[in-house]
Amino acid sequence: MPKSLNFYPYGKQSLDSEDIEAVVQTLKSDFLTTGPAVDEFERALESEAGVAHSIAISSGTAALHAAYFAAGVKPGDEIITTPLTFAATANAALYLGAKVKFVDVDEETGNLDPALLEEAIGPKTKLIAAVDFAGHPADYEKIQEIARANGLVTVGDAAHSLGATYQGRPVGQLADLTTLSFHPLKLITSAEGGAVLTDSPEYAQKLRDFRTHGIVKDKDRLLSPDEGPWFHEMQSLGFNYRLSDVQAALGRSQLAKLDRFLKRRQEIAKAYDEAFSDLPGIQLPIEKEEVSSAWHLYVLRVSDGAKARRRLFEKMQSLKLGVQVHYIPVYWHPHYQELGYSKGLCPKAETFYEQAISIPIYPALLDSDLQEIQERVRKAVRSTL
Ligand SMILES: Cc1ncc(COP(=O)(O)O)c(C=O)c1O
């Protein structure tokens, strides 16, 4: 009987007994929700990214919502972002009553194209949210320059790129506010979770308030400080976006392994680059000279476009490769269509979407797994393109 094929997802968490022990210890402690483990995780994130403040929060989506709030986004404002992202990057603006202007991408990296920013900026634009697609930092030098010249805030959605660098500087130091996600498929996980990184104490305070309903307890900040020792004030409208200590303990334990995880992702990307360089009809992802990518995703592109991509995708699935497409342009989703966005808005992002297939990349893949995946990819390409 032929050996049945292992299934390889496109991404997967890597947990070990240390991670499990860290969670168990927290379960035995006095704190379950936000307590000392959240504090420790935040300080560790600050030292990892070399930033002054890290605010742990319940998800990457909550991190975006909080970051846009801290930046002052209000009903009627506009934010600029890329359509080649998970919907959350745009949705967080809608939560605040703001509008989203989608700007097309650089066809090589899939990141926001800074050359198109000036013409997209209008009187209501408040911020530019770049996304480090697949782990490759966006072109922050140009984005920052344009943002500064126009009095705009920059947000880096670094859900894919914790640990990556741009011009030698780590993610976290590249935008005014940087958001992270610790969903299991991301670079490190806390099951669910996220964080916002910033050097600004004003943003940090707003983010902390937003995470707990807008409630202020610090006596120095109370409008009625003499009411009594129990007193606290809800000074703005916030949410319950707390990360729990149980999650933070896992995140902290995972963060200690980030360098090893990133090294393995780089090795896998290099192995794929070599194994697929001669395949016809396929374009491989690039890493620009000024960048060290976190390789959250390895996105192949099918030169022939939509129909060929579908054939190859289905063939790969039949060979038990858990492939995925990143991303359906956000404004293609029915909710955005109802808001008035039309297909065709960002042609380069749409072409990118029609060509893309993400293949398995995660630290737990062994060299023998890579051999197996490479064979299946080559077979699928040869038989469909
Ligand atoms: C680019 C990007 N931004 C934001 C998010 C949202 O993160 P979370 O799932 O932690 O809310 C994700 C997660 O899929 C993402 O890929």
Side-chain angles (χ1 to χ4, degrees):
M1 221 169 81
K3 186 163 78 98
S4 70
L5 293 176
N6 289 337
F7 174 77
Y8 292 108
Y10 78 86
K12 191 180 172 186
Q13 69 272 23
S14 301
L15 297 191
D16 63 16
S17 54
E18 270 174 24
D19 297 319
I20 293 165
E21 187 51 28
V23 172
V24 170
Q25 285 309 319
T26 312
L27 288 171
K28 290 178 180 166
S29 78
D30 288 340
F31 286 87
L32 292 182
T33 189
T34 315
V38 166
D39 231 39
E40 245 188 67
F41 186 33
E42 288 180 337
R43 303 300 78 76
L45 283 165
E46 285 159 9
S47 88
E48 172 64 37
V51 294
H53 307 280
S54 145
I55 293 83
I57 199 159
S58 55
S59 69
T61 305
L64 285 158
H65 189 187
Y68 295 176
F69 171 82
V73 172
K74 297 208 165 50
D77 286 344
E78 231 171 59
I79 73 126
I80 290 177
T81 194
T82 157
L84 213 59
T85 183
F86 182 60
T89 322
N91 292 352
L94 304 187
Y95 301 161
L96 292 162
K99 291 212 167 87
V100 181
K101 188 162 246 177
F102 292 103
V103 163
D104 213 348
V105 301
D106 171 296
E107 56 205 341
E108 279 191 321
T109 59
N111 280 333
L112 200 59
D113 182 353
L116 303 174
L117 283 174
E118 286 281 9
E119 68 196 57
I121 295 169
K124 295 190 171 162
T125 310
K126 198 63 165 249
L127 64 78
I128 301 171
V131 175
D132 301 337
F133 179 81
H136 188 292
D139 196 348
Y140 285 100
E141 186 179 6
K142 294 196 189 112
I143 293 169
Q144 285 287 20
E145 197 181 298
I146 294 163
R148 293 287 166 265
N150 291 277
L152 306 179
V153 179
T154 54
V155 173
D157 180 343
H160 299 183
S161 61
L162 176 63
T165 63
Y166 169 85
Q167 296 179 349
R169 282 178 298 142
V171 157
Q173 297 181 15
L174 306 172
D176 299 330
L177 293 141
T178 301
T179 63
L180 304 173
S181 163
F182 308 126
H183 177 276
L185 295 182
K186 299 303 192 297
L187 299 153
I188 61 165
T189 188
S190 61
E192 292 283 356
V196 187
L197 309 176
T198 183
D199 276 329
S200 153
E202 290 80 26
Y203 287 151
Q205 187 157 88
K206 284 191 184 154
L207 293 162
R208 289 212 165 85
D209 292 351
F210 193 72
R211 176 177 67 178
T212 46
H213 309 277
I215 288 175
V216 173
K217 291 183 178 161
D218 182 353
K219 201 163 178 227
D220 297 342
R221 292 178 57 212
L222 293 180
L223 302 177
S224 306
D226 300 324
E227 188 63 29
W230 62 88
F231 201 61
H232 58 263
E233 293 167 349
M234 200 200 96
Q235 294 185 351
S236 57
L237 184 62
F239 290 75
N240 174 358
Y241 275 166
R242 292 187 296 267
L243 190 75
S244 71
D245 257 27
V246 180
Q247 293 167 309
L250 177 56
R252 172 75 189 89
S253 175
Q254 285 263 295
L255 186 59
K257 306 173 215 289
L258 177 65
D259 288 350
R260 177 152 56 80
F261 288 168
L262 290 174
K263 188 163 166 280
R264 186 59 184 154
R265 286 179 180 277
Q266 280 159 3
E267 284 167 5
I268 296 168
K270 194 157 173 279
Y272 285 167
D273 285 349
E274 281 164 18
F276 305 142
S277 62
D278 64 332
L279 281 181
I282 289 286
Q283 276 171 261
L284 304 182
I286 65 143
E287 186 179 34
K288 289 202 164 174
E289 218 169 76
E290 67 272 22
V291 156
S292 169
S293 175
W295 290 108
H296 166 55
L297 301 172
Y298 191 92
V299 182
L300 291 175
R301 278 155 69 198
V302 180
S303 310
D304 257 0
K307 283 194 182 134
R309 190 271 303 271
R310 181 163 185 165
R311 276 200 312 275
L312 180 58
F313 189 95
E314 288 174 348
K315 181 69 188 174
M316 286 177 163
Q317 277 190 319
S318 77
L319 294 173
K320 293 220 185 165
L321 294 173
V323 284
Q324 187 52 280
V325 168
H326 296 94
Y327 282 103
I328 300 162
V330 173
Y331 60 79
W332 276 31
H333 289 294
H335 184 73
Y336 281 86
Q337 295 280 302
E338 279 167 25
L339 292 176
Y341 297 87
S342 309
K343 290 188 179 178
L345 184 64
C346 297
K348 286 184 183 159
E350 294 189 12
T351 301
F352 198 109
Y353 156 67
E354 285 174 355
Q355 296 179 328
I357 302 184
S358 301
I359 65 169
I361 185 165
Y362 48 93
L365 288 172
L366 304 173
D367 287 350
S368 53
D369 296 318
L370 295 187
Q371 292 278 326
E372 181 64 38
I373 292 166
Q374 285 161 16
E375 262 173 46
R376 291 188 212 172
V377 168
R378 294 178 70 84
K379 186 171 168 186
V381 169
R382 291 244 156 78
S383 63
T384 56
L385 299 187

